[in-house]
Amino acid sequence: MRKTGITLLTAFFGGAVAIGGYKLVESNNTDKMGIEDKQKVYFASNPMNVSSAGDVDFVQAAAAVTPAVVHIQTTYEGKGRDAGGGDPFEDMFRDFFGSPRNAQRPPAMASGSGVIVTDDGYIVTNNHVVEDATKIEVILPDNRSFQAKVIGRDPNTDLALIKVAGTKLPVVKLGNSDNVQVGEWVLAVGYPLTLNTTVTAGIVSAKGRAIGILGQDESEGRNFDRNQPRVNSAIESFIQTDAAINRGNSGGALVNTRGELIGINAAIASQTGYYAGYGFAIPVNLAKKIMDDFIKYGAVRRGFVGVTFQELNSSRAKELGVNEISGLYVNTVVEGGGAAAAGIKKGDVITKVDGARIMGSSDLQERVARLRPGDKVQLTYVRDGKERTVSVTLKGEDEVKIAGGSGRSAEELYNRLGASFSPLPSAQKQRYNISSGVVITEVRRGGVFAENGIEKGTIITSINGKAVGKPDDIDAALSSSRNNMIRLNGISPDGSRIMMTFPVTN
């Protein structure tokens, strides 16, 4: 009996020493920890007790999350927020975000939401919530107020990380967005329509949605070398939900019924700017990587496969003469990129990434966006009816060069497009709720549009971030191309929104 007591005492003492040592190490290294490590420390001392994913009682999950979802109020001294330039997607962002229509009168004010992810004050939100703000105020549900500073912004994912000088703050636990399933119950938490903390419930309607709202303008703070090409920079792989979200929900939490953060609410699909049944959230697994990049490097470190591609379906596969009806058809391979080094060629069809089937571009882009230059990704592709798998080492933007050099005139680029255009009729503008656009009346074989699967009847609303309303506008927009890269927003003949980035090579 005495021996057993001594054994228990020894075990207890050893555990106490281990915990004490851990706490000592923790206190010395927390500033260097990534977001997930900080969360492990926090939740080791603050365990969550909430219902399972199968339980439709949301009370515990809401109680666990709402204290850490904050109201963000921003001020814009001497700057207007209404610089849309005719791009219809900017109106969607503006309406969802809650910024005023007449933002030219300083100081402009706006508001959104954010999620506290560490107890020492790191908060994740949307880039468009804090972009260009001269003052950022964070208000907690308990009415505490802090001034926040921007740690980093990434327009390509519409994510931003800000920080307040608080301690022992409530935290939302990070979940795993890879485990999210269509049909799963979720909660959206935020500050819609100037209301205080609001919780709504719905289900996951779809995953991997690309809706063409992340433009690639030349915004300050984009963290890229302006002398280098940007290939497929914008990352859209949204979690779609029917939980009600409105203006002001931007940057708020999408959580599962365990109270775990699975996404950052970012946009709605609506003709009016108000909730119409479809909301979109950025997967938290992507957000984790972006936040850690901001903390560790001060900027997003993004790796690239080094290809341009188009999504396949049955009709496009027939046009291209390939047997696969899903996957990504490789249009061009970037010289010096990882794909070129791995032997991938134009005409290959990429079918899997790390063993997971690719159904659309978002499946590849979101996975790669979680990685950094030097990381490896397994790509499976089909060539001549045979399937191959290769390991591709991702390259940084400063490691790849677009074939054909730079400095082409707008006229050369225009001719290389291989298309003819006419102004968009007023009836079609009204139908799609857009203020500008040209329609493609002819696509010539051998041109860039034909190579990238852009069809006759496609509406082009902007090129290189500039609105186009007549053919002459195209020359002006093309003159802003960098390294012969063209960025295009538009509407396909079937009415779906498109956003493409591709090089114009020889």
Side-chain angles (χ1 to χ4, degrees), residues 73-82 97-111 132-135:
Q73 294 185 332
T74 49
T75 303
Y76 307 87
E77 295 288 348
K79 288 187 178 182
R81 294 275 296 171
D82 193 4
F97 175 37
S99 60
R101 288 280 180 177
N102 186 9
Q104 298 295 328
R105 296 173 295 180
M109 303 289 291
S111 68
D132 297 329
T134 53
K135 179 182 177 182

Side-chain angles (χ1 to χ4, degrees), residues 109-240:
M109 303 289 291
S111 68
S113 305
V115 183
I116 303 175
V117 290
T118 70
D119 64 346
D120 58 349
Y122 282 104
I123 299 169
V124 62
T125 185
N126 289 143
N127 171 68
H128 72 267
V129 169
V130 298
E131 185 176 18
D132 297 329
T134 53
K135 179 182 177 182
I136 302 171
E137 183 180 12
V138 171
I139 304 171
L140 273 63
D142 62 9
N143 289 331
R144 281 184 290 171
S145 177
F146 300 90
Q147 296 301 309
K149 63 179 181 180
V150 175
I151 302 301
R153 297 192 297 105
D154 181 35
N156 290 321
T157 55
D158 194 31
L159 287 167
L161 186 67
I162 63 176
K163 193 175 189 305
V164 298
T167 58
K168 298 182 179 180
L169 299 176
V171 174
V172 176
K173 186 175 184 179
L174 302 181
N176 184 348
S177 51
D178 286 348
N179 293 338
V180 172
Q181 299 183 55
V182 173
E184 179 179 346
W185 282 103
V186 289
L187 302 178
V189 186
Y191 292 78
L193 305 174
T194 71
L195 298 171
N196 286 331
T197 311
T198 299
V199 179
T200 56
I203 63 168
V204 173
S205 306
K207 294 178 64 179
R209 281 283 195 248
I211 56 177
I213 60 172
L214 294 186
Q216 300 181 46
D217 56 28
E218 300 293 331
S219 299
E220 181 180 354
R222 189 176 280 278
N223 297 320
F224 59 75
D225 181 348
R226 292 180 183 275
N227 295 316
Q228 296 296 332
R230 286 162 289 139
V231 184
N232 294 332
S233 296
I235 310 299
E236 292 194 9
S237 185
F238 295 115
I239 298 170
Q240 181 179 320

